[in-house]
Amino acid sequence: MSTSLIILAAGQGTRMKSDLPKVLHEVAGAPLLVHAMKSGAALEPEKTVIVAGVGADLVAAAAQAFDETAEVVLQDEQLGTGHAVLCARDALADQDGDVIVLYGDTPFIRPETLADMAAARTRHDVVVLGFEAADPGRYGRLVMSGDTLERIVEHADASDEERAITLCNSGVIAASTKTLFDLLDDVSNDNASGEYYLTDIIAIARDRDLSATAVTCDEAETMGVNSRAQLAQAEASFQARARAEALENGITLPAPETVHFAHDTVIGRDALIEQNVVFGPGVTIESGARIRAFSHLEGCHVSRGAIVGPYARLRPGAELSENVHVGNFVEIKNATLAEGAKANHLTYIGDASVGEATNIGAGTITCNYDGVMKHHTSIGARAFVGSNTMLVAPVTVGDDAMTATGTIVNKNVPDGAMAIGRAEQVNKPGLAVKLFEMLKVKKAKRDKEAG
Ligand code: UD1
Ligand code: MG
């Protein structure tokens, strides 16, 4: 059966104290909203509808950057979760399958949990995701009788007896599209908060003799983000899981607690990730590569047998082939390094291609930017680029070519040629000794004047 997703993301997020809509704050390099969309994507939804309010344009841009087919509907006034879901009605008018409601600020619902809910849906009209809360606080409480969920009571409306219930509502609900909207038609705002509660659909369903049940998950999955402190907790919880998974998958991490992963980091088995490595989004590391301490990588690909760092920076578009070595204080951006190429010290390679087995000397820089435009540097195979070479792009260095130390390369270097472009050296006999004496006399005079 086809499934659609509704993701509620209209909330202000007042407690974030931010100009950015809450759901756009990031965990592991992706907005909270994208984490929710990724969970939901496991159900291969027919349609995804995001209910946005505050900062709707920004929310739409982030949602569509992840899934260009996502539809964004506006909830002008936040009248409650029930009202928010109703805002998605028109967008789903052509859907006759199931629908699952998720919250945009709840990033960690596991795809397996949603699959459990879909399975329970084959036996029940409405399925709610619940959890045993360590501290039930202000959560809605699930009132069960046996397997049947009779109603959900919001904290503000609950009796003392109901408040003693520890099985709480995560907010995730599944039903058929038709049932969900039919039930919502009967929801009123006659309650302690004056809001239209999505949770009221359970009691209404039971009145109509529909069946409702709860599927449960671990409390950690239902963690929502409402403040910066919770955002930091969510990040810590993501990182703890990513580190455990990396170890489980056969990756060596001598100090796992110091490595930071992004939501989409892919690492092959037998890779070694040393201390204090940070992965931004879009990184793939192949098996057996080694990322040494204090390196920062984003939007890049590191092949088998390559060694990166310590203290290296790979920026978007860095593509390292097998057995490439990139050493300390080397920055690479939008550049390919072919098999066995080496840039071991203090270098910037941007907008460039480097051929196989080429060696880039210390202090080499591709001068890729003229203040207005970026230009490409092409370096051939088996070339030797001497230390402190400035490659003024656009420029080409041929196969088997060499550049002398200190050369400013602003003309193409043919295959097999040696480029030398630096001022000629002149030696003045005895001048150094004379200069030292002069300077010492000068210093003595100055010290005397200063007393
Ligand atoms: C809701 C549930 C509660 C549950 C809790 C779990 C209701 C009535 N209550 O309470 O049972 O235990 O979540 O965290 O559903 N939103 C909108 N538009 C609105 C109102 C809310 O988009 O008009 C969004 C919010 O941005 C948020 C989500 O819906 O992402 C939940 O809203 P929130 O106000 O946090 O609900 P709670 O009071 O926490
Ligand atoms: Mg809430």
Side-chain angles (χ1 to χ4, degrees):
M1 194 202 299
S2 76
T3 302
S4 296
L5 287 180
I6 297 175
I7 303 185
L8 304 189
Q12 166 95 51
T14 318
R15 281 190 281 153
M16 294 298 284
K17 303 201 174 121
S18 174
D19 294 333
L20 197 66
K22 175 167 77 172
V23 294
L24 297 189
H25 284 268
E26 293 187 352
V27 164
L32 293 169
L33 176 64
V34 167
H35 285 272
M37 291 174 80
K38 279 178 89 168
S39 306
L43 298 169
E44 298 181 10
E46 195 75 14
K47 226 175 197 184
T48 298
V49 181
I50 318 280
V51 181
V54 179
D57 290 350
L58 294 173
V59 170
Q64 285 158 0
F66 175 72
D67 171 5
E68 57 181 14
T69 68
E71 214 169 301
V72 177
V73 298
L74 208 60
Q75 185 194 25
D76 286 324
E77 246 188 307
Q78 272 127 61
L79 304 178
T81 48
H83 177 261
V85 171
L86 274 173
C87 293
R89 178 180 235 159
D90 288 348
L92 293 175
D94 58 347
Q95 298 297 310
D96 53 8
D98 257 25
V99 62
I100 288 198
V101 179
L102 299 175
Y103 291 170
D105 62 0
T106 304
F108 300 141
I109 305 285
R110 287 160 60 239
E112 294 84 344
T113 299
L114 297 181
D116 288 350
M117 290 182 74
R121 254 289 293 140
T122 61
R123 299 182 304 274
H124 298 276
D125 296 301
V126 187
V127 178
V128 166
L129 181 62
F131 62 100
E132 279 296 335
D135 169 16
R138 310 195 58 79
Y139 287 119
R141 308 296 208 267
L142 303 189
V143 181
M144 304 291 296
S145 94
D147 266 357
T148 296
L149 175 59
E150 296 293 353
R151 59 202 160 85
I152 303 177
V153 55
E154 289 306 306
H155 179 265
D157 304 286
S159 64
D160 286 347
E161 203 178 309
E162 287 162 338
R163 285 183 184 178
I165 298 173
T166 53
L167 182 62
C168 291
N169 173 32
S170 70
V172 183
I173 288 192
S176 80
T177 312
K178 184 171 181 323
T179 303
L180 178 72
F181 291 119
D182 282 354
L183 293 170
L184 277 169
D185 276 334
D186 278 5
V187 170
S188 78
N189 64 352
D190 182 16
N191 53 50
S193 320
E195 286 185 11
Y196 295 88
Y197 293 157
L198 171 61
T199 44
D200 278 356
I201 67 168
I202 303 302
I204 298 168
R206 294 298 298 138
D207 275 351
R208 295 188 192 175
D209 265 341
L210 297 177
S211 69
T213 196
V215 159
T216 55
C217 70
D218 202 83
E219 182 167 9
E221 273 184 61
T222 69
M223 169 182 205
V225 173
N226 299 295
S227 64
R228 306 279 180 164
Q230 287 173 348
L231 186 68
Q233 272 168 28
E235 183 72 47
S237 140
F238 178 93
Q239 295 301 337
R241 230 173 320 118
R243 290 161 189 154
E245 273 170 26
L247 294 168
E248 183 63 32
N249 291 340
I251 296 152
T252 301
L253 304 173
E257 65 286 358
T258 68
V259 175
H260 284 253
F261 293 96
H263 65 107
D264 59 354
T265 309
V266 177
I267 306 181
R269 59 192 281 171
D270 288 321
L272 166 61
I273 314 296
E274 290 186 359
Q275 296 83 346
N276 295 292
V277 170
V278 176
F279 294 104
V283 177
T284 313
I285 309 289
E286 285 186 17
S287 290
R290 177 172 182 166
I291 312 300
R292 305 205 54 205
F294 295 100
S295 294
H296 189 284
L297 295 83
E298 58 187 319
C300 64
H301 174 223
V302 177
S303 302
R304 208 171 271 275
I307 302 175
V308 173
Y311 299 99
R313 179 167 185 210
L314 301 187
R315 292 173 52 205
E319 171 74 39
L320 275 48
S321 302
E322 294 187 12
N323 304 317
V324 162
H325 291 187
V326 167
N328 40 242
F329 308 108
V330 172
E331 173 180 347
I332 299 187
K333 181 216 74 168
N334 187 32
T336 56
L337 274 69
E339 189 170 346
K342 292 188 173 66
N344 272 327
H345 338 260
L346 298 157
T347 279
Y348 172 58
I349 301 175
D351 303 309
S353 54
V354 177
E356 61 174 49
T358 282
N359 188 84
I360 307 285
T364 294
I365 288 175
T366 54
C367 311
N368 60 329
Y369 186 46
D370 58 18
V372 180
M373 285 177 293
K374 301 280 171 67
H375 301 283
H376 189 82
T377 299
S378 170
I379 303 171
R382 300 168 305 279
F384 182 89
V385 175
S387 294
N388 198 31
T389 296
M390 300 294 121
L391 297 151
V392 185
V395 76
T396 296
V397 175
D399 290 341
D400 306 295
M402 266 191 186
T403 69
T405 294
T407 294
I408 295 174
V409 179
N410 52 15
K411 290 192 288 244
N412 292 344
V413 183
D415 289 352
M418 160 104 174
I420 309 177
R422 59 189 183 202
E424 208 170 317
Q425 180 177 328
V426 183
N427 290 339
K428 308 270 187 190
L431 184 58
V433 174
K434 244 190 246 167
L435 251 177
F436 277 133
E437 273 163 14
M438 246 172 65
L439 291 171
K440 279 178 194 153
V441 169
K442 218 173 181 175
K443 180 167 187 288
K445 199 172 154 202
R446 206 177 61 184
D447 289 352
K448 202 171 158 197
E449 277 167 14

